[in-house]
Amino acid sequence: SSSSTPSAQQIATGKGVVVAFLADGLDINNPDFIRADGSHVFIDYQDFSGEGPNAPTPAGEAFGDASSIAAQGRQVYDLSTFVNPAHPLPAGCNIRILGMAPGASLVGLKVFPAGGFAFNSAILQALDWAVTNDHADVINESFGSNQFPDTTNDPTAVFNEELVKSGVVVLASSGDSGFQNSIGSPASAPDVISVG
């Protein structure tokens, strides 16, 4: 007999869970963020970057974050049209993107302007918005500040610790620094889940 390991979506869909993420901007009307019944995955999208919610953006970070959480897997992408021409792929390298929790509701909080850096004030406003207005259950942060020495007392780390005490699950980027560097703040805060 053979057995298979269930995928995340077979164990829990995320239905009823509100996940907020802080990154750059994106198109919330991408077909992969529309459910089969026509309802939207995004229940809110706010701009804290100062450039407006509809400003042109590369959207790589936000699309990657949102897709890994709740993409619906309804859109087919041919990877050969997305790669560097110096390293081509044959046509027909088709994939679908299905998020780990396709039933979750997303809150997109744009804190990074195109090609820019996010201010602590924008990040703190976005975190406050996530819990005050959208009652987020989970917050995902795609950034880090990497101050040395790391005393875990930067404003975002302090705010995150308070969020966790209030029952919110907070995940933060470990810093994408590779094996030669340490985990940056706010991922280094004691009660935050550090994600690579």
Side-chain angles (χ1 to χ4, degrees):
S1 74
S2 66
S3 63
S4 64
T5 303
S7 66
Q9 303 87 353
Q10 293 171 311
I11 297 170
T13 66
K15 186 175 175 117
V17 178
V18 175
V19 180
F21 65 91
L22 286 70
D24 52 350
L26 82 163
D27 178 8
I28 64 170
N29 295 310
N30 178 296
D32 254 344
F33 301 133
I34 309 295
R35 301 185 200 284
D37 66 4
S39 64
H40 286 250
V41 170
F42 280 86
I43 60 169
D44 196 7
Y45 178 64
Q46 298 291 323
D47 172 58
F48 295 91
S49 73
E51 69 177 8
N54 299 318
T57 175
E61 187 74 38
F63 180 76
D65 293 348
S67 294
S68 67
I69 298 166
Q72 299 298 294
R74 299 176 60 228
Q75 184 81 359
V76 175
Y77 300 91
D78 182 350
L79 291 181
S80 69
T81 64
F82 293 95
V83 296
N84 185 323
H87 305 284
L89 289 173
C93 289
N94 295 335
I95 64 166
R96 290 182 314 115
I97 302 172
L98 180 61
M100 293 293 168
S105 297
L106 292 183
V107 172
L109 302 172
K110 179 182 174 186
V111 295
F112 289 94
F117 291 91
F119 292 102
N120 281 336
S121 57
I123 291 169
L124 297 178
Q125 284 178 318
L127 291 173
D128 184 56
W129 182 272
V131 294
T132 303
N133 295 324
D134 294 314
H135 309 289
D137 302 297
V138 179
I139 297 177
N140 182 72
E141 301 172 356
S142 277
F143 55 83
S145 56
N146 299 318
Q147 67 271 9
F148 295 102
D150 183 359
T151 59
T152 66
N153 68 353
D154 71 89
T156 304
V158 172
F159 201 113
N160 284 346
E161 288 295 303
E162 294 303 314
L163 288 172
V164 173
K165 287 178 189 170
S166 72
V168 177
V169 175
V170 179
L171 303 100
S173 164
S174 62
D176 303 329
S177 300
F179 64 89
Q180 74 276 14
N181 208 333
S182 60
I183 296 172
S185 185
S188 58
D191 297 315
V192 169
I193 299 171
S194 177
V195 181

